[in-house]
Amino acid sequence: MKYETFPNLTLPKIGFGTWKIGGESFPNPKMDSVSLSALRSALELGYTHIDTAENYANGHSEELIGQVVREMRVQRESLFITSKVEPEHLKYEQVLKACQACLRRLQMDYIDLYLIHWPSVGMKLEDTFRALNKLVKDGKVKHLGVSNFDVKLLKQSQALSETPIITNQVPYSISNRSYVKNGVLEYCQQNNILLTAYSPVDQGRFRLNPTLESIAKARSATSYQIAIAWLVMQPRVITIPMSFNPSHIKENLEAADILLSDEEMKQLS
Ligand SMILES: NC(=O)c1ccc[n+]([C@@H]2O[C@H](COP(=O)([O-])OP(=O)(O)OC[C@H]3O[C@@H](n4cnc5c(N)ncnc54)[C@H](OP(=O)(O)O)[C@@H]3O)[C@@H](O)[C@H]2O)c1
């Protein structure tokens, strides 16, 4: 595994995403069994960073994560749990309430990283960060971050947060470079902020291309692994692929061990 380090924090380059765990916008009991198996596989294989959100299956994803952690008796301190407050809950009282509900669903005492999921029209970031700063002071949240923020909003967040903004979680993959084009990747790298790449394999709609395929063949890896390895070879970039399939869950984690050459990185970039 490769890691990103800060003075008070070490994070693995690859974590486990949970969009669709337990359902999509609403809980889907038919998905519980396959969702619990995927979470068990991820923890057994050694994933320690789990990414979720209050609106994944309307909170049910968080409930299932909590259930598996308790059932497998995983030490809380060995995990790094990220969750997110949704754009409809960005007022001071709403943020405090949303975090409390998240902790109740996880049945945990703290969240390692709490993100603003999306900016919303008319949000008052001062108000939101007043609540987020309180959550950190109260020990309910260890670190703060944002998601889907452009450079301007990221700078505002840094100015309002009493602790460093450790990540901006945005879409980034071989085929989606929008947050490179808008300057977010470069800003993050220059300012010690992690760029957490979501949808790293384009939500399964990943398109193969000859460069990927030839590098994958030469390295006896899959194209998915090369696409993930390309992300995590980049400084200050981490990623959180999601899968229900145990062999995909394993191969995605192992992608962190692939060391691409400068030439291969250039070809893929
Ligand atoms: N902050 C945000 O706004 C935001 C938005 C979207 C996502 N996210 C987070 O980012 C995580 C990852 O993004 P995502 O779930 O959108 O998309 P993703 O990880 O790019 O793709 C997931 C899909 O790819 C397939 N897949 C994964 N690994 C594979 C492999 N090695 N070989 C073949 N197929 C593979 C999975 O199918 P199988 O189950 O068949 O393997 C699944 O359908 C989410 O789960 C969520 O935690 C955050």
Side-chain angles (χ1 to χ4, degrees):
M1 177 54 66
K2 296 187 191 78
Y3 295 89
E4 281 294 341
T5 53
F6 293 96
N8 59 347
L9 175 69
T10 298
L11 254 183
K13 285 276 212 176
I14 296 180
F16 189 66
T18 63
W19 164 240
K20 292 195 181 165
I21 288 284
E24 296 196 11
S25 301
F26 294 98
N28 178 355
K30 288 192 194 134
M31 294 299 292
D32 275 9
S33 161
V34 68
S35 299
L36 289 166
S37 300
L39 289 168
R40 279 185 206 113
S41 294
L43 293 178
E44 272 160 16
L45 287 162
Y47 283 82
T48 55
H49 176 195
I50 312 287
D51 178 82
T52 186
E54 64 170 325
N55 69 3
Y56 292 0
N58 200 19
H60 191 44
S61 153
E62 292 169 331
E63 286 171 346
L64 295 179
I65 293 166
Q67 181 179 330
V68 168
V69 168
R70 287 192 302 283
E71 188 187 285
M72 292 177 65
R73 296 173 191 275
V74 182
Q75 293 283 318
R76 174 66 185 90
E77 317 78 68
S78 68
L79 294 174
F80 189 92
I81 308 280
T82 297
S83 193
K84 316 182 192 84
V85 55
E86 59 176 280
E88 290 75 26
H89 291 161
L90 298 184
K91 291 192 178 138
Y92 180 81
E93 289 296 341
Q94 292 173 325
V95 175
L96 300 183
K97 226 170 123 187
C99 180
Q100 204 49 48
C102 166
L103 292 172
R104 200 170 49 239
R105 289 188 294 265
L106 287 165
Q107 293 194 34
M108 293 179 184
D109 301 331
Y110 64 89
I111 308 165
D112 294 277
L113 173 61
Y114 204 36
L115 312 181
I116 300 177
H117 202 154
W118 284 90
S120 75
V121 181
M123 68 180 174
K124 294 200 172 65
L125 274 182
E126 294 79 2
D127 208 28
T128 310
F129 271 97
R130 208 159 49 82
L132 292 172
N133 289 331
K134 175 172 165 52
L135 290 171
V136 174
K137 271 194 211 115
D138 292 349
K140 304 225 161 111
V141 166
K142 301 269 186 216
H143 303 278
L144 297 178
V146 294
S147 179
N148 302 297
F149 273 33
D150 62 15
V151 171
K152 189 174 165 208
L153 286 172
L154 193 49
K155 285 183 179 169
Q156 284 173 15
S157 304
Q158 285 178 291
L160 292 166
S161 181
E162 289 168 6
T163 51
I165 294 292
I166 68 160
T167 196
N168 186 13
Q169 186 179 121
V170 299
Y172 186 28
S173 69
I174 285 272
S175 59
N176 185 348
R177 315 283 176 100
S178 49
Y179 279 81
V180 179
K181 289 191 194 114
N182 70 7
V184 163
L185 175 63
E186 194 183 3
Y187 183 80
C188 285
Q189 288 172 325
Q190 287 172 352
N191 290 277
N192 261 337
I193 297 171
L194 297 176
L195 184 144
T196 304
Y198 75 67
S199 305
V201 293
D202 302 329
Q203 302 195 309
R205 292 187 293 269
F206 180 59
R207 287 251 197 91
L208 299 178
N209 70 50
T211 309
L212 261 176
E213 284 183 281
S214 80
I215 294 173
K217 195 166 171 215
R219 291 184 162 271
S220 305
T222 69
S223 297
Y224 286 82
Q225 286 182 303
I226 300 301
I228 293 171
W230 173 77
L231 284 170
V232 300
M233 287 289 297
Q234 300 173 45
R236 289 311 198 203
V237 176
I238 67 169
T239 189
I240 45 170
M242 187 277 165
S243 172
F244 286 111
N245 179 324
S247 50
H248 294 167
I249 297 174
K250 184 168 187 287
E251 73 177 54
N252 293 348
L253 189 67
E254 289 172 351
D257 299 326
I258 299 172
L259 290 177
L260 295 171
S261 66
D262 291 347
E263 183 52 35
E264 287 168 326
M265 285 299 287
K266 218 187 285 168
Q267 285 172 16
L268 292 163
S269 295

